[in-house]
């Protein structure tokens, strides 16, 4: 039978056991040290005490006078006992130079030979020793008694080792009580601290916490969504790599610990991050991106905070714009197919009526106009993506009664644009500017002129000779070696100076709610490529947008190569 796998002890439990063992070891070590130190101190105190007593007896004049008498014991015995009782030592033995005792706590020992060493004392020295005598092991001091410079006797004062040990044992009891109290208090404090730690770690053990940390770090760096955590004071507590990228913070920028206000973000985005209520799928703009913001306050704990997720909506918005363009192209092609069918029926009808020459002239004129359109665009703009975009937008504009005109000075050679300049950004910039210009031109100046009828003329880029009353959009596309110039002007009502700064703000539009994102995307795409967007009044009275994108040395080399190729072809 397979036994169930036991779960390792939690981190708080492990720390509790370790701390209890550590506290017990520290308390035990302190107790042993205190015992050893107390024993040494007690012996030192006892030796000092008996030394003082022995020297006091040896220096007493009454002792020297008693030694001169025929019976020193009769005088010295009572004196020695008083000294012993007053000082609390074990014995005071006074003897002659032959080690014969004159005094002793046990009177039966008087007259017997002193047990111990006396050689140093007979030489005039005072010394301390531990010796086993009639009272057992004792710490004793032996010192000489001098009378007129002569050694006339010896004094030995001592205290038994048992008495010293009993004093140490009394101190050890108090020490053990204090150690037990310290151990109990340490255990209680440790339990309280670890109970708190257990709540904060949710009962996980060290391996689980380590694994959680590793997964946490891996997740932060792996997810493509930006993650931002704010504490209760709206300071950044955590931010991952994607969050730094989406908010425009460099890898070397110190973000943790700073408030959201210090990041230099747009005011609407800052307000969303600082909001106390939840935000769901809000679109906000930075200098380079369109991001979707979701916020959720953290409820519980000591401090409230906010969890913020950021999603990059820029590519999705660009794809949506491309999809709208493709849809427009499809509608334009469908309309052109219908128009072509009508013209084909017209040619067939003219032939059936016997007007063959008129049918040939009609069909030839249509082919020439279509070929002029293609030749003009392809000849001036050899960049395939831009050429296709202009042809498609020309068809769309014609459907709305607007003529798309390509300026005479437009010229972009094949290979003039570096690979670093994303084609999607070019489509975003030029496509949105043309769409807005077509909207404005179709409405006419101040809305006085309505859109021209579809089919009044063949759409196409042309330079001059545009009828004065026709709504038109003029496009300039020029790569001069240093920069790419994209300019779109219309014959619409124009934009007043008071709204020049507002047109690039998300939501600004003259067509109601749900619009107003195209120009914002244009500015972001230009900013991503190090370019600028300018707005002024066009020569036809409408608005004119000018985008300049730096190209660098690569473009100059490409233009030189293109010029050499043209010379060879010529």
């Amino acid at each position: 039978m397979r036994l169930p796998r036991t779960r390792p002890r939690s981190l708080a439990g492990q720390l509790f056991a370790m701390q209890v063992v550590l506290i017990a070891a520290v308390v035990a070590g302190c107790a042993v040290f205190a015992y050893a130190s107390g024993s040494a101190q007690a012996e030192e105190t006892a030796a000092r005490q008996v030394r003082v007593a022995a020297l006091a007896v040896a220096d007493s004049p009454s002792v020297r006078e008693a030694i001169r008498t025929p019976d020193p014991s009769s005088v010295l015995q009572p004196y020695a006992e008083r000294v012993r009782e007053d000082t609390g030592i074990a014995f005071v033995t006074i003897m002659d130079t032959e080690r014969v005792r004159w005094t002793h706590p046990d009177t039966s020992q008087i007259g017997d030979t002193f047990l111990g060493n006396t050689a140093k004392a007979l030489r005039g020295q005072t010394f301390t020793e531990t010796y086993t005598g009639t009272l057992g092991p004792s710490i004793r001091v032996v010192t000489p008694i001098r009378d007129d410079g002569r050694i006339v006797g010896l004094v030995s004062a001592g205290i038994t080792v048992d008495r010293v040990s009993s004093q140490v044992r009394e101190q050890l009891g108090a020490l053990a009580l204090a150690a037990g109290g310290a151990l109990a208090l340490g255990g209680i404090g440790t339990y309280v601290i670890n109970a708190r730690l257990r709540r904060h770690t949710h009962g996980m053990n060290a391996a689980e916490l380590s694994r959680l940390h590793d997964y946490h770090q891996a997740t932060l760096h792996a997810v493509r969504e930006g993650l931002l955590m704010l504490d209760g004071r709206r300071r950044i507590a955590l931010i991952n790599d994607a969050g730094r990228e989406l908010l425009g913070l460099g890898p070397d920028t110190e973000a943790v610990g700073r408030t959201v206000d210090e990041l230099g973000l747009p005011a609407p985005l800052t307000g969303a991050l600082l909001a106390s209520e939840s935000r769901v799928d809000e679109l906000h703009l930075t200098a380079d991106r369109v991001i979707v913001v979701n916020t959720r306050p953290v409820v519980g704990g000591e401090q409230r905070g906010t969890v913020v997720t950021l999603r990059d909506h820029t590519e999705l918005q660009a794809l949506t714009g491309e999809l709208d363009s493709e849809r427009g192209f499809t509608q334009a092609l469908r309309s052109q197919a219908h128009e072509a069918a009508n013209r084909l029926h017209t040619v067939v009808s003219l032939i059936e009526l016997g007007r063959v020459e008129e049918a040939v002239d009609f069909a030839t004129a249509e082919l020439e106009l279509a070929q002029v359109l293609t030749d003009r665009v392809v000849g001036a703009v050899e960049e395939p993506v831009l050429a296709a975009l202009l042809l498609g937008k020309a068809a769309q504009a014609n459907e709305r009664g607007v003529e798309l005109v390509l300026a005479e000075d437009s010229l972009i050679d094949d290979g003039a644009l570096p690979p670093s300049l994303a084609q999607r950004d070019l489509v975003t910039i030029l496509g949105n500017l043309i769409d807005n210009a077509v909207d404005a031109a179709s409405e006419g100046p101040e809305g006085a002129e309505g859109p021209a009828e579809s089919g009044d003329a063949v759409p196409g880029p042309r330079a001059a000779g545009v009828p004065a009353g026709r709504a038109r959009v003029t496009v300039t596309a020029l790569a001069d070696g240093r920069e790419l110039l994209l300019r779109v002007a219309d014959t619409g009502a124009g934009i007043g100076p008071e709204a020049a700064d507002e047109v690039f703000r998300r939501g600004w539009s003259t067509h109601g709610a749900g619009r107003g994102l195209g120009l914002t995307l244009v500015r972001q795409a230009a900013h991503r490529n190090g370019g600028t967007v300018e707005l002024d009044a066009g020569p036809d009275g409408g608005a004119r947008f000018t985008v300049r994108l730096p190209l660098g040395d690569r473009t100059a080399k490409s233009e030189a190569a293109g010029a050499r190729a043209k010379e060879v072809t010529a």
Side-chain angles (χ1 to χ4, degrees):
M1 180 177 178
R2 188 175 182 179
L3 296 177
R5 186 177 181 180
T6 59
R7 183 173 180 268
R9 186 187 296 271
S10 67
L11 177 63
Q14 293 176 3
L15 289 179
F16 177 73
M18 293 170 60
Q19 288 173 339
V20 168
V21 172
L22 179 61
I23 292 174
V26 170
V27 171
C30 291
V32 171
F33 175 77
Y35 175 75
S37 177
S39 298
Q41 186 176 7
E43 291 179 1
E44 182 181 355
T45 301
R48 188 165 50 248
Q49 183 180 3
V50 296
R51 183 183 182 87
V52 170
L55 291 174
V57 171
D59 292 338
S60 175
S62 60
V63 172
R64 288 195 294 269
E65 292 177 358
I67 293 175
R68 297 191 194 107
T69 63
D71 187 10
S73 295
S74 61
V75 177
L76 295 178
Q77 176 66 17
Y79 172 76
E81 286 301 302
R82 286 197 304 270
V83 172
R84 183 181 66 81
E85 293 175 357
D86 292 341
T87 58
I89 60 180
F91 64 89
V92 177
T93 300
I94 304 174
M95 69 196 84
D96 61 14
T97 55
E98 299 297 329
R99 300 169 59 186
V100 176
R101 299 187 186 100
W102 287 325
T103 65
H104 194 277
D106 183 5
T107 56
S108 63
Q109 299 293 331
I110 297 175
D112 292 339
T113 302
F114 174 76
L115 300 179
N117 300 312
T118 59
K120 291 182 180 180
L122 292 173
R123 293 195 298 267
Q125 299 180 12
T126 301
F127 67 94
T128 303
E129 68 174 354
T130 301
Y131 193 85
T132 303
T134 58
L135 300 179
S138 62
I139 300 172
R140 60 179 61 180
V141 172
V142 182
T143 186
I145 302 173
R146 288 183 173 86
D147 188 4
D148 294 333
R150 243 175 356 98
I151 298 176
V152 296
L154 303 174
V155 177
S156 177
I159 185 170
T160 60
V161 174
D162 289 340
R163 182 175 296 183
V164 175
S165 300
S166 64
Q167 294 176 355
V168 173
R169 284 193 294 271
E170 292 176 359
Q171 296 177 357
L172 183 60
L175 179 63
L177 184 62
L183 182 61
L185 289 177
I188 293 173
T190 301
Y191 177 79
V192 172
I193 294 173
N194 283 275
R196 182 181 180 86
L197 179 62
R198 186 180 295 107
R199 289 197 302 270
H200 286 292
T201 57
H202 302 285
M204 290 187 290
N205 56 47
E208 291 172 335
L209 287 174
S210 177
R211 185 166 56 251
L212 181 63
H213 174 268
D214 294 340
Y215 288 157
H216 173 267
Q217 292 297 319
T219 302
L220 284 181
H221 294 286
V223 295
R224 296 189 61 186
E225 285 192 355
L227 180 62
L228 185 68
M229 294 186 181
L230 308 178
D231 61 15
R233 298 181 182 178
R234 296 301 188 267
R235 294 177 304 188
I236 297 177
L238 183 146
I239 184 170
N240 67 346
D241 298 340
R244 286 178 174 274
E245 181 180 357
L246 292 177
L247 294 181
L249 304 177
D252 298 331
T253 303
E254 185 63 33
V256 176
R258 299 174 61 185
T259 61
V260 176
D261 296 334
E262 299 174 354
L263 300 181
L265 301 175
L269 178 57
T270 300
L273 297 180
L274 295 177
S276 57
E277 69 278 0
S278 298
R279 301 294 181 92
V280 179
D281 291 340
E282 286 191 359
L283 282 178
H284 288 275
L285 306 176
T286 63
D288 300 327
R289 301 177 184 275
V290 179
I291 59 178
V292 180
V293 178
N294 285 273
T295 67
R296 188 178 185 88
V298 178
V299 180
E302 296 181 356
Q303 288 186 332
R304 293 170 59 91
T306 306
V307 177
V308 181
T309 59
L310 308 170
R311 295 200 310 273
D312 190 357
H313 200 62
T314 308
E315 294 186 3
L316 179 60
Q317 194 65 42
L319 290 174
T320 302
E322 292 181 16
L323 181 60
D324 291 340
S325 298
E326 295 296 335
R327 187 181 295 112
F329 294 160
T330 302
Q331 293 175 353
L333 290 175
R334 185 183 298 112
S335 177
Q336 285 186 347
H338 179 71
E339 186 69 17
N342 290 335
R343 290 170 181 170
L344 181 60
H345 288 316
T346 301
V347 171
V348 172
S349 298
L350 288 174
I351 294 175
E352 290 178 349
L353 293 174
R355 300 183 177 184
V356 177
E357 293 183 0
E358 294 180 9
V360 172
D361 292 339
F362 181 80
T364 303
E366 292 297 321
L367 290 174
E368 289 177 353
L369 288 174
Q371 190 62 39
V372 168
L373 166 63
T374 303
D375 291 344
R376 179 70 184 96
V377 172
V378 174
V381 181
E382 297 183 9
E383 185 65 29
V385 174
L386 292 181
L389 178 66
L390 288 171
L391 291 174
K393 291 299 181 181
Q396 285 183 281
N398 182 67
E399 289 298 314
R400 301 184 59 181
V402 179
E403 186 171 12
L404 186 65
V405 180
L406 185 63
E408 286 290 347
D409 57 348
S410 296
L411 179 61
I412 299 179
D413 292 329
D414 188 18
L417 303 183
S420 59
L421 185 59
Q423 295 180 345
R424 177 175 294 176
D425 287 341
L426 294 177
V427 172
T428 298
I429 293 172
L430 195 56
N432 280 285
L433 290 180
I434 292 176
D435 288 341
N436 289 343
V438 170
D439 288 342
S442 64
E443 295 174 357
E446 302 297 336
E449 294 181 4
E453 293 296 331
S454 174
D456 286 349
V458 176
R462 64 184 186 81
V466 180
R470 179 72 185 267
R472 68 181 178 275
V473 172
T474 303
V475 178
T476 303
L478 175 62
D480 63 357
R482 295 180 303 277
E483 66 178 11
L484 172 63
L485 172 68
L486 299 176
R487 178 178 289 137
V488 178
D490 60 69
T491 58
I495 299 175
E498 68 281 356
D501 295 333
E502 292 293 317
V503 295
F504 297 104
R505 178 177 56 83
R506 175 179 174 266
W508 189 93
S509 176
T510 60
H511 297 86
R515 304 289 294 275
L517 191 59
L519 291 178
T520 301
L521 296 176
V522 170
R523 184 179 64 175
Q524 288 183 338
H527 186 273
R528 275 196 302 272
N529 293 278
T532 60
V533 182
E534 299 175 358
L535 168 63
D536 59 359
D540 298 323
R544 180 173 65 180
F545 289 88
T546 302
V547 178
R548 300 179 186 273
L549 303 177
L551 297 179
D553 296 337
R554 182 184 180 90
T555 304
K557 295 178 181 178
S558 298
E559 285 195 339
R564 289 194 297 268
K566 286 185 177 180
E567 292 177 359
V568 173
T569 304

